[in-house]
Each structure stands twice: as structure tokens, then as C-alpha cells.
């Protein structure tokens, strides 16, 4: 017996990330090579024609796992019956715009999509917010979809996590698949803290700490952190467009690990609802190290946090607290 298809919503599906993401989902990259999917693609009315073009291409690619495509500009139709929602659509910051203007636009988008998901998505729908400011957009979505369990609302920091693994792999000239357990703490912004204090590399003589192998604390505390924090800007400078294929690939990694589980002994970074772990204020969507099994994430407990790390964890929490206040001021 074949598996029942899973309905996956991608908002902003006609945009750059959406265009990279939908073929990955249709190929089984996100949910596995034996899991049929029905894609729900939602975008705004001005993008309707482009969205239809993406639908045509999905038909033309003849993906064996793709059992149906809903392409729509109607939020209710887009959200109906979905098991997984990947929220890529948002209002991008344009030159000369104040943060509050961008926040206010996104608050209204996420408020309306929250109520559509709450009323029309499948029970136990898993939500991943990609659009920036991702942590705070996810928080707004959680506030306005109170019947969706808070543990089901997450934001994407896996891209930052993968960027950190990539930088270590380049620096040490090792396979990226041999590097694990980096951590992104906090906000998906330039205050995030990429932490390698617990990261390891698989070597012929067993697992070795990244810090010991790099043997250059100045690089780890300086250039490494700055490169990971500023990587998005570096890609915009190089491509004149923001990172799309890496964001799409990381979104697949995030959902795949959440649904199918993390390998034994490995954790990943996810923006999740804080319960006060590591003295992070509760009530924020904050990136933590997590393990996943049976479709549920758990924050990794008991990791030692040195003085430098503590300052950086607090700094990014402060920014998130400010963003939360700004978002709430847009509501009133």
C-alpha cells in the first residue's frame, strides 16, 4: 500500500525561494523518496500569472511523487487541509524603509495567514516561517493561531546552521557531512550567535572538537562568526539577489529532520518557542539546538555556556524582545 499524500503549503511560491523549493519538495527531498505530496502554492494576486507558470513547469517535470497541485491567490483555498506550511511569503524591506514599516506590513500578513491556517489547515499542521523577520513573524503567527500547538510553530535558522557547518568544513578542508553539532542561538539576524563550542568533526581517529582542530580562537571568535552572520548580505552583493537555493535546501532539511528525526548523537538548530531553557526569556521564538524524534523537537539540555557565549545569547534575546515589542505596537 502506498502512503497517503501529504499536503504541503508554500506561500510566496512564485518568488525566488519558492521556485527553488517546490521542485525539491516534489522530488522527495523534504519528506523522503516514498512520500507522495500534494503542493499548495499561494501567492499574491499580482503574482498570479507567474504562479501559474510555476504550476505548468511542475506538470512538465512529471514528478512521480507529485499527486496534485493547488495554485491560488486565495488564502483559504491555499491553507485548506495542509499538513505542513512553509511560509516564504512576506514583505521585503526596501531601501529607505524604516524597520517599523516593514514590521507593520509583515504583522498584518502573518496575522491574516495565522487565522486562515487555524481555521482550515489539517489538525497538527507543522509550520515553518522563512520570511524575515522570521522569528517575530512566527511569534505573530503563534499569537493569532492559538489552537495550533506552540510546538508546531517554528522558524528557519537551519540556513545559518548549515552556513556554520560549511565555513568549518572549508576552513578544515573536510567533508561537510563530517562536521556536526554547531549551534545557532537566537534571532535569524546579524545578532545570531554561531557557536562551535560543542561541535565536532569525524576524523580517522574518532570525533574531535572543532575548536581543537581549528586551533585559532581569534578566527572562531571573529571572522567565523561575522561570516556566518553576514553571509546573506555577501550573497546579495555577489548575485544581486538574495540567497534562494540555500534557503530552500535548508527549509527541506528543517522539515525532514523534524518529521523523520535527527540522527543519533546529532542536533540541529531550529527557531522554536522558548520555555526558559538556558535562561532565554520564555515567550520568544528563539533558535536552540534541538533533537527530533516521532515528529517532535526537544531542546538539547545541559550544554555548558561560557562567559563569552552567555553575553551573545543575551544580546540576541534582547533584540528579539525589542522586535516583539515593535510587532505588538504595530497591532495596537
Amino acid at each position: 500500500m502506498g502512503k497517503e499524500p501529504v499536503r504541503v503549503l508554500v506561500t510566496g511560491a512564485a518568488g525566488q525561494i519558492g521556485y527553488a523549493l517546490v521542485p525539491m519538495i516534489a522530488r522527495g527531498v523534504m519528506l523522503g523518496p516514498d512520500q507522495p505530496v500534494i503542493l499548495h502554492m499561494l501567492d499574491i494576486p499580482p503574482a498570479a500569472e507567474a504562479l501559474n507558470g510555476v504550476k505548468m513547469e511542475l506538470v512538465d517535470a512529471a514528478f512521480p511523487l507529485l499527486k496534485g497541485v493547488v495554485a491560488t491567490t486565495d488564502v483559504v483555498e491555499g491553507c485548506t487541509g495542509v499538513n505542513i506550511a512553509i511560509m516564504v511569503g512576506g514583505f521585503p524591506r526596501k531601501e529607505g524603509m524604516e524597520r517599523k514599516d516593514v514590521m507593520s506590513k509583515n504583522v498584518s500578513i502573518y496575522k491574516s495567514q495565522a487565522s486562515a491556517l487555524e481555521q482550515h489547515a489539517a489538525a497538527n499542521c507543522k509550520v515553518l516561517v522563512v520570511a524575515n523577520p522570521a522569528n517575530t513573524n512566527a511569534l505573530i503567527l503563534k499569537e493569532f493561531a492559538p489552537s495550533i500547538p506552540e510546538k508546531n510553530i517554528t522558524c528557519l535558522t537551519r540556513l545559518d546552521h548549515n552556513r556554520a557547518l560549511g565555513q568549518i568544513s572549508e576552513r578544515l578542508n573536510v567533508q561537510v557531512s563530517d562536521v556536526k553539532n554547531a549551534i545557532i542561538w537566537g534571532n535569524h539576524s546579524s545578532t545570531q550567535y554561531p557557536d562551535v563550542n560543542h561541535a565536532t568533526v569525524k576524523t580517522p581517529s574518532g570525533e574531535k572538537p572543532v575548536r581543537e582542530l581549528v586551533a585559532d580562537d581569534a578566527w572562531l571568535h571573529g571572522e567565523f562568526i561575522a561570516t556566518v552572520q553576514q553571509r546573506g548580505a555577501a550573497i546579495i552583493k555577489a548575485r544581486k539577489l538574495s540567497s534562494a537555493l540555500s534557503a530552500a535546501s535548508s527549509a527541506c532539511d528543517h522539515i525532514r529532520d523534524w518529521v523523520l528525526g535527527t540522527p543519533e548523537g546529532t542536533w540541529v538548530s531550529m527557531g522554536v518557542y522558548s520555555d526558559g531553557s538556558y535562561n532565554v526569556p520564555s515567550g520568544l521564538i528563539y533558535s536552540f539546538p534541538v533533537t527530533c524524534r516521532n515528529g517532535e523537537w526537544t531542546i538539547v539540555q545541559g550544554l555548558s555556556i561560557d562567559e563569552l557565549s552567555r553575553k551573545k545569547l543575551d544580546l540576541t534575546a534582547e533584540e528579539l524582545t525589542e522586535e516583539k515589542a515593535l510587532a505588538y505596537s504595530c497591532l495596537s
Side-chain angles (χ1 to χ4, degrees):
M1 282 291 287
K3 293 183 174 178
E4 277 292 298
V6 169
R7 290 181 182 268
V8 182
L9 167 66
V10 177
T11 71
Q16 268 226 99
I17 295 174
Y19 189 71
L21 179 58
V22 293
M24 294 181 186
I25 298 170
R27 269 219 183 278
V29 174
M30 178 179 279
L31 293 169
D34 61 345
Q35 177 59 64
V37 292
I38 296 171
L39 268 170
H40 286 227
M41 301 193 299
L42 177 68
D43 216 314
I44 54 176
E49 200 178 352
L51 187 64
N52 196 43
V54 179
K55 182 179 179 175
M56 287 156 68
E57 285 204 75
L58 286 169
V59 171
D60 295 349
F63 293 110
L65 289 171
L66 187 58
K67 301 303 178 191
V69 180
V70 176
T72 185
T73 59
D74 176 70
V75 67
V76 171
E77 187 187 4
C79 291
T80 298
V82 299
N83 308 102
I84 292 168
I86 301 162
M87 316 303 280
V88 180
F91 192 88
R93 188 167 181 174
K94 301 196 168 111
E95 224 167 324
M97 279 185 80
E98 290 298 318
R99 261 181 77 214
K100 174 136 192 191
D101 303 334
V102 186
M103 186 69 85
S104 146
K105 289 267 197 289
N106 281 298
V107 162
S108 66
I109 292 170
Y110 277 83
K111 189 177 165 183
S112 80
Q113 295 191 340
S115 52
L117 279 171
E118 177 164 62
Q119 290 166 46
H120 304 287
N124 210 27
C125 174
K126 287 180 157 59
V127 182
L128 167 60
V129 178
V130 176
N132 286 323
N135 299 58
T136 300
N137 285 344
L139 190 64
I140 292 295
L141 199 147
K142 181 211 159 286
E143 291 297 306
F144 288 96
S147 74
I148 298 177
E150 60 195 32
K151 66 178 178 13
N152 283 22
I153 296 174
T154 64
C155 80
L156 187 71
T157 56
R158 183 61 175 268
L159 176 54
D160 310 294
H161 179 97
N162 287 348
R163 284 167 171 165
L165 299 180
Q167 289 305 304
I168 296 297
S169 123
E170 297 271 288
R171 175 77 177 195
L172 293 175
N173 199 19
V174 296
Q175 296 299 319
V176 74
S177 53
D178 289 337
V179 188
K180 69 175 191 182
N181 295 355
I183 302 168
I184 303 296
W185 297 98
N187 197 0
H188 175 62
S189 75
S190 57
T191 66
Q192 61 172 261
Y193 171 42
D195 174 5
V196 296
N197 286 326
H198 309 278
T200 60
V201 179
K202 193 160 87 187
T203 72
S205 53
E207 288 191 352
K208 292 272 177 11
V210 162
R211 192 171 283 284
E212 182 187 304
L213 291 175
V214 169
D216 184 345
D217 281 358
W219 182 79
L220 284 172
H221 291 150
E223 193 186 330
F224 165 72
I225 290 177
T227 300
V228 176
Q229 288 174 336
Q230 305 292 338
R231 187 69 160 187
I235 286 165
I236 291 176
K237 190 165 181 284
R239 288 188 75 226
K240 314 291 177 269
L241 294 163
S242 57
S243 42
L245 86 82
S246 54
S249 181
S250 302
C252 287
D253 291 345
H254 175 113
I255 297 286
R256 188 189 60 243
D257 286 343
W258 188 5
V259 172
L260 301 176
T262 45
E264 196 61 41
T266 299
W267 62 67
V268 294
S269 302
M270 283 172 68
V272 298
Y273 197 62
S274 168
D275 61 357
S277 292
Y278 295 101
N279 290 344
V280 170
S282 51
L284 298 175
I285 301 260
Y286 187 100
S287 181
F288 287 97
V290 302
T291 55
C292 305
R293 46 180 310 192
N294 303 328
E296 308 245 327
W297 54 264
T298 307
I299 295 173
V300 176
Q301 296 295 342
L303 298 173
S304 59
I305 304 293
D306 63 20
E307 201 179 335
L308 177 92
S309 299
R310 183 71 257 165
K311 286 198 178 87
K312 292 191 180 295
L313 263 76
D314 292 344
L315 184 76
T316 189
E318 276 165 34
E319 182 183 57
L320 281 167
T321 304
E322 281 165 28
E323 271 188 28
K324 179 179 180 175
L326 186 60
Y328 277 82
S329 74
C330 297
L331 288 167
S332 49

